[in-house]
Amino acid sequence: MELWMGNDSQAIAEQAADRIEEFIRRKPDAVLGLATGSTPLATYRELIRRYRLGRIDFSQVRTFNLDEYYGLSPDHPQSYHNYMYEHLFRHINIEKQNIHIPSGTAPDVEAYCREYEETIAACGGIDLQLLGIGVNGHIGFNEPAEELEPGTHFVKLSDETIAANSRFFASLEEVPRYAITMGMSTIMSARKILLLAEGEGKAQIIRQMFDSGITTGIPASFLRLHHDVTVLVDRQAGRYLMNGREGAGAR
Ligand code: GLP
């Protein structure tokens, strides 16, 4: 895994956007895997800014989101559908039919998850996957567990994740208990992965991701088996990595 350390959220956003912009320039119909949460917000703002400057054309880009809460309709303010349209899609020239976000209301969940995987495959797989990381080491909604699931699946959220995400809801009770998420193999099959982490709250898990063994207890630790992962952190999230590992691309 390559580590890149910047001063703050904006530095991470610019670095991520540089890589995404360059990727789309080389492959205008790139298949992007997208994440939600607070972390990618600055990157999405930076992508919108560059689109407005005429630097990025999203007209052929295809996207697949990592996950969605189960039980929330697309127009729910906290659905990831709503998040993606508000924070990115409605500001850029992406075609609606090229946008894929797991459905939070599919009645036949298993069939739906299979279909999501098939659609990704039909698009040729994910070229560039953007990831955040949960404080418990989850990626997408692949929660720490004895066994991890390979493909897109229905998942029960951990108490830790429900508590962490309750900041977006009026109360803890309102946080959905279930979600649909890409699986570990869906994520690991992406050709290139960018994981973003910022703030003190992520420092411990970032250290563990680099230094623990590869364990289902820290789903993000599996990224160490991937040949093209770049971890972009700010100084706070990377604080325990400062010694010796501040290498390639760090500033
Ligand atoms: C959420 C999402 C993840 C995200 C993570 C971190 O629950 N399912 O995809 O990476 O938690 O979120 P944040 O960036 O807000 O810390």
Side-chain angles (χ1 to χ4, degrees), residues 46-57:
E46 184 60 24
L47 290 175
I48 294 166
R49 194 182 72 81
R50 294 178 190 208
Y51 161 70
R52 289 183 178 145
L53 291 172
R55 284 169 56 177
I56 311 183
D57 174 15

Side-chain angles (χ1 to χ4, degrees), residues 35-40 66-67 69 80 131-135 138-141 161 165 167-168 196 202:
T36 52
S38 323
T39 315
L66 278 168
D67 46 16
Y69 289 116
Y80 288 164
L131 289 179
I133 183 169
V135 281
H138 74 212
I139 46 176
F141 270 134
T161 296
N165 290 5
R167 68 189 194 278
F168 299 113
L196 320 181
K202 297 286 169 69

Side-chain angles (χ1 to χ4, degrees), residues 4-234:
W4 185 93
M5 201 179 300
N7 281 331
D8 52 21
S9 170
Q10 185 54 27
I12 296 177
E14 285 171 21
Q15 185 60 216
D18 280 353
R19 291 165 191 244
I20 296 167
E21 177 180 347
E22 196 206 315
F23 202 95
I24 296 174
R25 185 166 305 127
R26 276 193 290 116
K27 189 176 182 203
D29 64 347
V31 179
L32 303 182
L34 297 178
T36 52
S38 323
T39 315
L41 286 173
T43 299
Y44 293 151
R45 276 196 298 273
E46 184 60 24
L47 290 175
I48 294 166
R49 194 182 72 81
R50 294 178 190 208
Y51 161 70
R52 289 183 178 145
L53 291 172
R55 284 169 56 177
I56 311 183
D57 174 15
F58 290 93
S59 61
Q60 297 177 61
V61 168
R62 294 155 300 162
T63 64
F64 285 88
N65 264 79
L66 278 168
D67 46 16
E68 175 61 289
Y69 289 116
Y70 193 75
L72 297 193
S73 62
D75 58 1
H76 188 287
Q78 294 310 330
S79 75
Y80 288 164
H81 276 76
N82 190 58
Y83 171 108
M84 288 309 302
Y85 277 89
E86 280 307 307
H87 297 297
L88 182 64
F89 295 149
R90 75 183 179 86
H91 306 281
I92 59 175
N93 67 334
I94 189 161
E95 298 286 339
K96 198 158 191 243
Q97 74 266 17
N98 289 339
I99 295 171
H100 308 272
I101 306 172
S103 166
T105 53
D108 185 344
V109 182
E110 271 185 34
Y112 180 79
C113 291
R114 269 199 308 276
E115 216 176 276
Y116 200 69
E117 287 287 325
E118 283 161 13
T119 314
I120 294 173
C123 287
I126 292 168
D127 291 310
L128 174 60
Q129 177 69 55
L130 202 59
L131 289 179
I133 183 169
V135 281
N136 62 359
H138 74 212
I139 46 176
F141 270 134
N142 292 277
E143 299 279 33
E146 272 180 33
E147 291 179 358
L148 301 176
E149 296 248 1
T152 298
H153 62 284
F154 184 72
V155 64
K156 186 175 189 330
L157 300 179
S158 68
D159 291 345
E160 217 169 356
T161 296
I162 292 168
N165 290 5
S166 66
R167 68 189 194 278
F168 299 113
F169 292 82
S171 68
L172 193 69
E173 287 64 46
E174 277 184 33
V175 186
R177 268 39 185 174
Y178 297 93
I180 290 184
T181 181
M182 284 184 190
M184 293 302 291
S185 166
T186 329
I187 295 171
M188 293 290 284
S189 301
R191 291 178 189 95
K192 200 175 185 56
I193 296 178
L194 288 182
L195 184 144
L196 320 181
E198 56 192 45
E200 182 103 36
K202 297 286 169 69
Q204 191 62 30
I205 193 64
I206 287 294
R207 184 187 64 74
Q208 286 176 282
M209 179 179 75
F210 275 96
D211 290 343
S212 76
I214 294 163
T215 163
T216 61
I218 304 172
S221 65
F222 278 78
L223 296 173
R224 285 160 59 189
L225 299 174
H226 192 281
H227 64 283
D228 191 352
V229 178
T230 306
V231 179
L232 307 179
V233 294
D234 65 4

